[in-house]
């Protein structure tokens, strides 16, 4: 809990240092360059550099804390699962392959432990970052912000639907892969019976059917995964297009400063990373 609280504090600093360079970009263009003021240019560039360095240090610290949390959880879960398994009745071990037990302790606990490590940091960090960037965009120009952010509600309708279908296909893939592995282990362990009865063709036909079934499932799963990525990239690419066409018009008409447009484009581009991480999370 102490590490999680420390992690949230680091995240708060990281979010601030990710937004500060955008404001410095605007001031560098609108004030330092426009007024040809070298002192302001050096000052704002110094703030920009300091924010970038602090943000990088915060990112490294966040990753370190996530690793410490996940590895501690992994060690605890492995110890608890092992202590539980050795107390199970002998009938369990007669009906369960040793590889299943080894895989559960050695490999399958890694994913939930990694999740615990980022269960607080990933959603909090990315949601705060999105809110901070969105607030900065509205502060620069409410109309341009509303138009450029209008694509995200549409993305939130389409992408979760595709992701749900991908999850269903992934579950089928995992289930079929377990059956597939079990069939191979069964054939290898019973190789004497196969040789003794000469059932090579029968075993081959059974195996080929499983291979074909797994192939179709994996193709379906991959298509949905690619659909999620392609749709997300499409919506992300539409953002700069809207900013260019509307922001360019407002800048030409004198209703938006050039520095604000530059900062707006940078903020719009930076929205992609937290959005992508939230989708993956």
């Amino acid at each position: 809990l102490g590490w999680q609280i420390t992690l949230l504090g680091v995240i708060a600093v990281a979010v601030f240092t990710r937004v500060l360079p955008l404001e410095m970009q605007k001031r560098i263009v609108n004030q330092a360059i426009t007024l040809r003021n070298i002192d302001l240019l050096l000052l704002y560039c110094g703030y920009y550099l300091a924010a970038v360095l602090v943000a990088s240090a915060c990112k490294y610290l966040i990753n370190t804390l996530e690793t410490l949390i996940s590895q501690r959880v992994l060690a605890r879960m492995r110890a608890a699962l092992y202590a539980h398994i050795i107390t199970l009745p002998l009938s369990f071990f007669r009906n369960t392959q040793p590889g299943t037990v080894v895989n559960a302790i050695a490999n399958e606990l890694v994913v939930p432990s990694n999740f615990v490590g980022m269960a607080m940091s990933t959603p909090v960090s990315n949601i705060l970052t999105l809110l901070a960037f969105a607030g900065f965009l509205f502060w620069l120009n409410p109309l341009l912000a509303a138009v450029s952010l209008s694509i995200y509600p549409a993305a939130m309708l389409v992408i979760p639907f595709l992701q749900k279908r991908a999850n269903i296909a992934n579950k089928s893939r995992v289930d079929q892969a377990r059956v597939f592995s079990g069939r191979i282990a069964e054939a290898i362990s019973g190789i004497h019976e196969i040789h003794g009865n000469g059932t090579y063709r029968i075993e081959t036909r059974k195996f080929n059917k499983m291979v074909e079934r797994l192939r179709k499932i994996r193709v379906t799963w991959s298509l949905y995964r690619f659909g999620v990525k392609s749709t997300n990239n499409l919506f992300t690419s539409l953002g700069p297009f809207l900013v260019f066409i509307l922001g360019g018009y407002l800048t030409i008409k004198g209703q938006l400063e050039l520095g604000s447009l530059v900062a707006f484009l940078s903020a719009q581009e930076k929205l992609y990373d937290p959005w992508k991480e939230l989708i993956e999370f």
Side-chain angles (χ1 to χ4, degrees):
L1 179 60
W3 283 350
Q4 293 282 17
I5 294 174
T6 303
L7 190 56
L8 294 179
V10 177
I11 288 171
V13 177
V15 171
F16 175 76
T17 55
R18 294 184 69 177
V19 177
L20 182 60
L22 302 175
E23 176 65 18
M24 292 302 103
Q25 286 182 13
K26 186 190 76 171
R27 295 190 181 189
I28 288 171
V29 175
N30 288 343
Q31 298 179 22
I33 295 179
T34 302
L35 300 177
R36 302 178 184 275
N37 191 320
I38 300 298
D39 292 336
L40 284 180
L41 177 63
L42 295 176
L43 178 64
Y44 293 149
C45 286
Y47 285 145
Y48 187 99
L49 179 60
V52 170
L53 294 176
V54 173
S56 299
C58 288
K59 182 64 176 178
Y60 180 81
L61 187 55
I62 288 172
N63 292 336
T64 300
L65 290 171
E66 287 178 348
T67 300
L68 292 174
I69 293 170
S70 63
Q71 291 302 313
R72 169 174 282 192
V73 170
L74 177 60
R76 288 183 177 180
M77 287 196 298
R78 278 176 170 165
L81 182 58
Y82 181 79
H84 170 70
I85 287 175
I86 61 176
T87 62
L88 293 174
L90 295 179
S91 59
F92 169 81
F93 297 97
R94 284 193 291 266
N95 299 323
T96 305
Q97 294 182 355
T100 302
V101 177
V102 173
N103 190 55
I105 298 176
N107 299 320
E108 293 184 5
L109 289 180
V110 174
V111 175
S113 68
N114 288 337
F115 173 78
V116 173
M118 64 180 185
M120 289 183 64
S121 61
T122 297
V124 171
S125 175
N126 290 304
I127 290 175
L128 286 180
T129 302
L130 284 174
L131 291 176
F133 284 155
F136 182 75
L137 293 180
F138 275 99
W139 181 70
L140 290 175
N141 190 286
L143 174 61
L144 188 57
V147 172
S148 63
L149 295 177
S150 63
I151 61 175
Y152 287 95
M156 292 178 67
L157 293 176
V158 177
I159 293 178
F161 170 77
L162 294 174
Q163 186 64 57
K164 182 178 180 181
R165 304 301 302 177
N167 292 342
I168 294 174
N170 185 50
K171 184 179 184 303
S172 300
R173 178 189 66 85
V174 173
D175 292 341
Q176 187 62 28
R178 288 173 177 170
V179 175
F180 183 76
S181 300
R183 185 62 183 172
I184 295 175
E186 182 182 342
I188 298 301
S189 61
I191 193 68
H192 298 290
E193 288 78 4
I194 295 175
H195 276 255
N197 298 320
T199 56
Y200 308 112
R201 293 184 178 179
I202 296 176
E203 292 296 327
T204 300
R205 282 197 301 268
K206 290 180 180 179
F207 186 77
N208 289 343
K209 288 181 180 179
M210 294 181 61
V211 170
E212 180 64 17
R213 193 177 303 118
L214 184 58
R215 181 190 68 83
K216 292 180 179 178
I217 293 174
R218 289 188 63 88
V219 168
T220 302
W221 172 60
S222 298
L223 291 178
Y224 278 120
R225 285 172 54 233
F226 298 150
V228 171
K229 292 183 178 180
S230 300
T231 304
N232 192 33
N233 290 335
L234 173 62
F235 282 117
T236 303
S237 300
L238 286 176
F241 166 75
L242 296 175
V243 174
F244 275 121
I245 190 169
L246 180 58
Y249 173 81
L250 294 175
T251 303
I252 292 174
K253 291 295 183 179
Q255 300 177 23
L256 183 67
E257 296 175 328
L258 180 60
S260 298
L261 179 61
V262 172
F264 204 104
L265 286 169
S266 296
Q268 178 76 325
E269 182 182 357
K270 291 180 183 298
L271 277 173
Y272 175 72
D273 290 336
W275 173 258
K276 180 182 177 182
E277 288 188 18
L278 276 179
I279 292 295
E280 291 176 350
F281 181 76

